[in-house]
Amino acid sequence: MDNLDRRAGKMSVLLPLSLTSVLLIFSHIALASGYETTYEFGSDCPIFTKDVDEGNEIYIEYEGKEVASYCDDFKFRGRGNDILDEYSVCVTPLYFNDDDCAVKIDITTSLYGVTKHEITCTDNSANYCGPQDETLYIKFKKRSDKSTRNANFKLKITAKKEYDYDESHAYLIGAIVGGIIGGLVLITVCIAIFCWCVCRRKPSQGTVFNPAQGYPGTGNPYVVYDSMKI
């Protein structure tokens, strides 16, 4: 009985530890792989702008359903840990199957703005990143009266950091400090050169004039001659 009680006690201790370990493993896997969300044209109808966090992925799918005119667009903006950083939103087509060319995707930066990029049955392989710090609109469009039942596609939405506030300010501070140090070094060198030039100069050898000696080539003007005898 004692052995059984001991085993039961050990099991009761090990079970919570095992569950905790499993939860930690899954949490690390989730953090490493990022967060994923999927929206579908014809099923989801979000009203507000969706944030795309740095390192996460959002997917947009279409499976041939009817899309209402008031639910035919999704809005995304890039975001990170620092609100002062700036991001662009990138769209990558994973697949786009539309043999009848019945649908297309228009990408704009406002609800009624000019189309920045199109994804169609003939042009659906290029990755597109929108302007820096702009909201991106992904709009579903029917191209004709053809049925859209055979059309299906999947897009991946990600955020790309375009401006790092901390890194930019670090460069600016480094440039200011470097400029100040460089200026001080230049001033010190100029002062040292000036002092060296002054110390190298020798005093000039001037001539001392003695009035008692008279002028060269002449007699002493101060000599008094006797009156000439006739």
Side-chain angles (χ1 to χ4, degrees), residues 148-228:
T148 60
R149 292 180 181 178
N150 296 325
N152 60 84
F153 58 78
K154 186 173 185 178
L155 312 176
K156 181 173 71 173
I157 313 298
T158 56
K160 177 184 177 184
K161 183 183 288 188
E162 301 287 357
Y163 173 76
D164 191 316
Y165 177 82
D166 292 334
E167 185 177 342
S168 299
H169 277 64
Y171 286 145
L172 179 61
I173 293 172
I176 293 173
V177 173
I180 292 173
I181 294 175
L184 292 175
V185 171
L186 181 61
I187 292 172
T188 303
V189 171
C190 291
I191 293 174
I193 293 174
F194 176 77
C195 293
W196 181 81
C197 291
V198 170
C199 294
R200 289 279 296 175
R201 291 181 59 187
K202 293 181 179 179
S204 58
Q205 300 296 328
T207 301
V208 178
F209 176 74
N210 187 355
Q213 295 178 353
Y215 293 95
T218 63
N220 192 333
Y222 297 101
V223 175
V224 180
Y225 293 95
D226 293 334
S227 57
M228 296 181 63

Side-chain angles (χ1 to χ4, degrees), residues 71-84:
C71 291
D72 62 353
D73 66 81
F74 296 107
K75 302 177 286 293
F76 301 99
R77 63 187 172 195
R79 191 183 69 173
N81 295 326
D82 193 334
I83 61 174
L84 297 176

Side-chain angles (χ1 to χ4, degrees), residues 25-35 55-56:
I25 291 171
F26 276 109
S27 64
H28 283 299
I29 292 174
L31 289 173
S33 60
Y35 182 73
N56 295 341

Side-chain angles (χ1 to χ4, degrees), residues 129-148:
C129 292
Q132 178 177 325
D133 203 30
E134 292 276 358
T135 299
L136 218 59
Y137 287 70
I138 314 297
K139 299 181 179 181
F140 177 90
K141 298 289 184 180
K142 291 183 64 175
R143 301 186 67 181
S144 63
D145 294 331
K146 296 179 181 179
S147 174
T148 60

